[in-house]
C-alpha cells in the first residue's frame, strides 16, 4: 500500500516519541485523531446544476485547549491529508505555547474553476455542515491553501446567522473590518523571518546579502519574498505551481508582487532563467523556503539541495528520508511546526482580541509575535542541544521541536487524566 502523508505524520510522531519517556498508552492516544468528520453536501452552481462536494474537519487533540487549524480548498484534499495537517497543528500550537489543540479542514474542489458566487455557496454550506463540531470555544478554523479573508468572512457570517449574534471569535483570518487582526495576512511569513534571523544569529550571521529561493507564491511565499527582501536578503528564485524564475543577481520583489496582483504566473517574470517548481528547490541559494504543499523535498532530490538553511513555510514539505539526508549534509531544516507557526500565533491574537473586543495596533501584534517566535526558537534550540548531548548529532531540529511539543501535550493529558 502506498504511504500517505498521514503515515508520514505518524512516523514523525513515533520517532520523536522514542526520544521521550512517554509510556505506550500516551503514545497510543497522541498518535490518533480524536474526531474525523466527513461531510457530503450539495451546492447550486451558476448554470443551475447541483454538485455534491466532499469535505472534512478533523480534530486531533484538545488537551491544551480548543482545537485550531485552517481550511483548504483543493482537488488534492484527502481525509488522510487533513488528519496529518490536524496532528501537525497540535505540535505547532504546543511549540509556540499557545493554548490550542490541533485541527484541520478541507473540501475537495477546484476553486480556480469556480465563480465567486459558487465559492460563497460552497463555503456557507460547508460551514453549516461542520458547525456541529466548530465553535469559538471548541474548534476555530482559519485560512489555509486557497482560502482567504473573504472566505473567512462568509464562514463567520454563516455561523453568526445560526447563533443569532455576530460571532467573530468563531474563525480567524477575517478581514480587519469585521474582527480580523492587523498583521494576520503576513504573519506566517513574518514568523519565518523571525526564526530564520534567530538561526542566523546563533551562527553569528545576519540576513544581509543572503540569497533566498522560495517555492510557492501564495500567501506565505509572496509575503516571505517581500519581508526577507526588506530585511536585507536577496531573493534569487521564486515560483508558483505553473513555474518560476531564477536570477543570481536578484529579483525585483515589487514587480513579483505586481504580477501576483494581476494573477500572472511567476514564470512570466521577464528577467532570468525559467525554473519549474521542482527545479526551484535545487537552485543555488543560502536559504530555501518551501512555501507550497507537502512532499516536495524527498530522498529523490535532498542531496541536490544547495541551501544551508531550509525554512518550512509550507506544512510537511520534507519527508523523513529527506530530513535524514539533509541532516547528514549539515543542512539546517527549521521545521514547519516552528517556522510557520506565526500564522496560528497571530490567529490566536485575533481570537483574544475578538473575545475581549479590544483591538491592538500593528506594532503590538509584531512585538508579541516576535516574542512568541523567538522564545519558541530558543526552547527548540535548548532541547536540540539536550537531545544531541544524549543521542549525538543525528538528532535534528524537527525532532527537537516535536519532543518539546509532545511533552507539553502529554503533560496536559496527564494533568487532566483519562475521563471517566
Ligand atoms: N493554516 C495555517 C497553518 O497551517 C494557520 C492556521 C490557523 O491560523 O489556525 O498554520
Amino acid at each position: 500500500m502506498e504511504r500517505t502523508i498521514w503515515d508520514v505524520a505518524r512516523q514523525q510522531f513515533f520517532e520523536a516519541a522514542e526520544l521521550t519517556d512517554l509510556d505506550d498508552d500516551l503514545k497510543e492516544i497522541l498518535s490518533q485523531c480524536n474526531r474525523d468528520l466527513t461531510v457530503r453536501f450539495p451546492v447550486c452552481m451558476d448554470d443551475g446544476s447541483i454538485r455534491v462536494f466532499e469535505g472534512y474537519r478533523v480534530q486531533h487533540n484538545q488537551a491544551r485547549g480548543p482545537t485550531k487549524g485552517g481550511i483548504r480548498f483543493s482537488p488534492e484534499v484527502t481525509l488522510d491529508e487533513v488528519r496529518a495537517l490536524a496532528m501537525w497543528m497540535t505540535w505547532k500550537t504546543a511549540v509556540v505555547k499557545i493554548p490550542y489543540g490541533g485541527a484541520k479542514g478541507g473540501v475537495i474542489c477546484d476553486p480556480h474553476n469556480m465563480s465567486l458566487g459558487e465559492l460563497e455557496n460552497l463555503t456557507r454550506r460547508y460551514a453549516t455542515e461542520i458547525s456541529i463540531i466548530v465553535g469559538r470555544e471548541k474548534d476555530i478554523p482559519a485560512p489555509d491553501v486557497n482560502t482567504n479573508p473573504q472566505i473567512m468572512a462568509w464562514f463567520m457570517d454563516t455561523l453568526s446567522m445560526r447563533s443569532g449574534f455576530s460571532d467573530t471569535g468563531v474563525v480567524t483570518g477575517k478581514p480587519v473590518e469585521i474582527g480580523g487582526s492587523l498583521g494576520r495576512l503576513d504573519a506566517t511569513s513574518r514568523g519565518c523571518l523571525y526564526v530564520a534571523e534567530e538561526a542566523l544569529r546563533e551562527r553569528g550571521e545576519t540576513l544581509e546579502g543572503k540569497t533566498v529561493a522560495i517555492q510557492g507564491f501564495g500567501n506565505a511565499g509572496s509575503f516571505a519574498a517581500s519581508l526577507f527582501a526588506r530585511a536585507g536578503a536577496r531573493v534569487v528564485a521564486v515560483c508558483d505551481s505553473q513555474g518560476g524564475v531564477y536570477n543570481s543577481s536578484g529579483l525585483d520583489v515589487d514587480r513579483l508582487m505586481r504580477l501576483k496582483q494581476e494573477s500572472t504566473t511567476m514564470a512570466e517574470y521577464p528577467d532570468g532563467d525559467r525554473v519549474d517548481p521542482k527545479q526551484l528547490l535545487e537552485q543555488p541559494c543560502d536559504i530555501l523556503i518551501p512555501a507550497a504543499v507537502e512532499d516536495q523535498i524527498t530522498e529523490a532530490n535532498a542531496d541536490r539541495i544547495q541551501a544551508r538553511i531550509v525554512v518550512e513555510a509550507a506544512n510537511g514539505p520534507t519527508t523523513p528520508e529527506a530530513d535524514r539526508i539533509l541532516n547528514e549534509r549539515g543542512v539546517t531544516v527549521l521545521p514547519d511546526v516552528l517556522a510557520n507557526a506565526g500564522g496560528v500565533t497571530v490567529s490566536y491574537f485575533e481570537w483574544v482580541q475578538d473575545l475581549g473586543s479590544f483591538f491592538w495596533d500593528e506594532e503590538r501584534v509584531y512585538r508579541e509575535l516576535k516574542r512568541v517566535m523567538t522564545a519558541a526558537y530558543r526552547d527548540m534550540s535548548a532541547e536540540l542541544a539536550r537531545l544531541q548531548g544524549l543521542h549525538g548529532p543525528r538528532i535534528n531540529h524537527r525532532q527537537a521541536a516535536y519532543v518539546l511539543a509532545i511533552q507539553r501535550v502529554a503533560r496536559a493529558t496527564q494533568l487532566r487524566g483519562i475521563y471517566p
Side-chain angles (χ1 to χ4, degrees):
M1 219 170 52
E2 208 188 317
R3 182 176 76 168
T4 70
I5 197 77
W6 171 231
D7 299 324
V8 170
R10 279 169 57 92
Q11 182 184 339
Q12 289 168 331
F13 164 74
F14 281 117
E15 281 179 13
E18 278 304 300
L19 303 168
T20 67
D21 54 10
L22 237 62
D23 63 36
D24 288 345
D25 292 339
L26 264 171
K27 282 187 202 158
E28 180 66 14
I29 296 170
L30 300 184
S31 69
Q32 317 260 11
C33 289
N34 175 229
R35 285 193 186 121
D36 296 348
L37 175 64
T38 299
V39 292
R40 292 181 198 89
F41 54 91
V43 174
C44 290
M45 308 304 278
D46 290 348
D47 64 2
S49 66
I50 307 275
R51 267 188 61 193
V52 176
F53 289 87
E54 182 162 313
Y56 314 99
R57 183 73 186 171
V58 175
Q59 299 170 349
H60 170 253
N61 181 285
Q62 40 271 83
R64 299 181 59 258
T67 51
K68 186 89 190 79
I71 289 168
R72 59 174 60 182
F73 287 174
S74 152
E76 320 313 329
V77 165
T78 64
L79 179 56
D80 265 352
E81 182 198 38
V82 179
R83 285 180 176 136
L85 290 159
M87 179 189 258
W88 287 332
M89 286 307 302
T90 301
W91 311 141
K92 194 184 299 186
T93 50
V95 166
V96 287
K97 271 199 198 161
I98 56 178
Y100 290 137
K104 204 79 173 195
V107 179
I108 307 170
C109 64
D110 183 3
H112 300 301
N113 286 315
M114 292 172 71
S115 71
L116 215 55
E118 290 169 342
L119 266 180
E120 178 172 355
N121 289 348
L122 178 134
T123 302
R124 288 187 182 277
R125 181 62 190 251
Y126 169 70
T128 308
E129 294 287 337
I130 66 168
S131 65
I132 52 174
I133 59 167
V134 162
R136 62 180 160 150
E137 258 109 40
K138 295 201 274 185
D139 180 13
I140 305 112
D144 197 73
V145 174
N146 293 334
T147 54
N148 58 30
Q150 175 61 74
I151 290 174
M152 299 307 117
W154 292 328
F155 203 100
M156 186 278 268
D157 184 69
T158 303
L159 293 191
S160 297
M161 290 303 118
R162 290 172 58 92
S163 328
F165 62 96
S166 289
D167 198 357
T168 51
V170 79
V171 62
T172 60
K174 300 177 297 295
V176 282
E177 295 85 344
I178 52 167
S181 176
L182 292 169
R184 176 63 184 87
L185 263 187
D186 65 4
T188 305
S189 320
R190 198 172 286 277
C192 289
L193 174 71
Y194 293 154
V195 295
E197 284 179 330
E198 273 303 303
L200 288 165
R201 188 169 303 133
E202 238 177 20
R203 304 161 178 224
E205 296 176 38
T206 68
L207 255 188
E208 197 58 45
K210 293 279 185 304
T211 53
V212 180
I214 305 171
Q215 186 203 41
F217 215 70
N219 183 270
S222 61
F223 285 115
S226 62
L227 287 169
F228 276 75
R230 242 185 291 154
R234 179 151 43 101
V235 178
V236 292
V238 300
C239 73
D240 50 41
S241 55
Q242 302 181 50
V245 58
Y246 168 82
N247 185 331
S248 61
S249 23
L251 304 169
D252 177 349
V253 172
D254 291 335
R255 203 157 161 189
L256 294 170
M257 294 305 247
R258 279 200 300 278
L259 284 180
K260 183 176 164 67
Q261 266 154 21
E262 298 158 5
S263 305
T264 310
T265 164
M266 296 303 123
E268 299 280 313
Y269 184 91
D271 220 4
D273 304 326
R274 303 290 113 222
V275 288
D276 68 28
K278 285 278 179 215
Q279 290 167 330
L280 181 128
L281 301 169
E282 302 171 17
Q283 300 306 306
C285 61
D286 300 309
I287 299 172
L288 173 63
I289 308 183
V293 287
E294 305 94 68
D295 208 18
Q296 297 301 302
I297 307 177
T298 66
E299 59 190 331
N301 60 7
D303 53 3
R304 292 195 301 275
I305 303 293
Q306 302 194 47
R308 306 317 298 160
I309 301 181
V310 176
V311 185
E312 293 187 333
N315 289 310
T318 312
T319 65
E321 297 74 29
D323 259 340
R324 266 189 284 279
I325 297 169
L326 293 172
N327 193 43
E328 275 161 21
R329 294 183 51 225
V331 180
T332 297
V333 179
L334 300 178
D336 47 8
V337 293
L338 169 70
N340 73 29
V344 72
T345 300
V346 176
S347 273
Y348 168 57
F349 299 160
E350 178 175 334
W351 182 74
V352 166
Q353 292 170 74
D354 287 336
L355 298 192
S357 263
F358 180 80
F359 289 86
W360 307 356
D361 59 20
E362 215 158 40
E363 193 266 329
R364 176 164 179 199
V365 173
Y366 296 158
R367 181 164 32 90
E368 302 266 7
L369 176 62
K370 188 164 200 167
R371 179 181 59 76
V372 169
M373 296 304 296
T374 308
Y377 182 91
R378 293 185 183 161
D379 284 354
M380 182 275 302
S381 190
E383 187 61 34
L384 180 64
R386 187 186 74 82
L387 288 168
Q388 287 187 334
L390 289 171
H391 306 281
R394 71 177 178 90
I395 304 295
N396 62 33
H397 291 65
R398 188 182 320 277
Q399 288 166 318
Y402 265 60
V403 166
L404 205 61
I406 291 168
Q407 283 170 337
R408 287 175 182 163
V409 180
R411 179 78 186 129
T413 308
Q414 278 164 333
L415 284 168
R416 291 177 63 155
I418 305 299
Y419 176 84

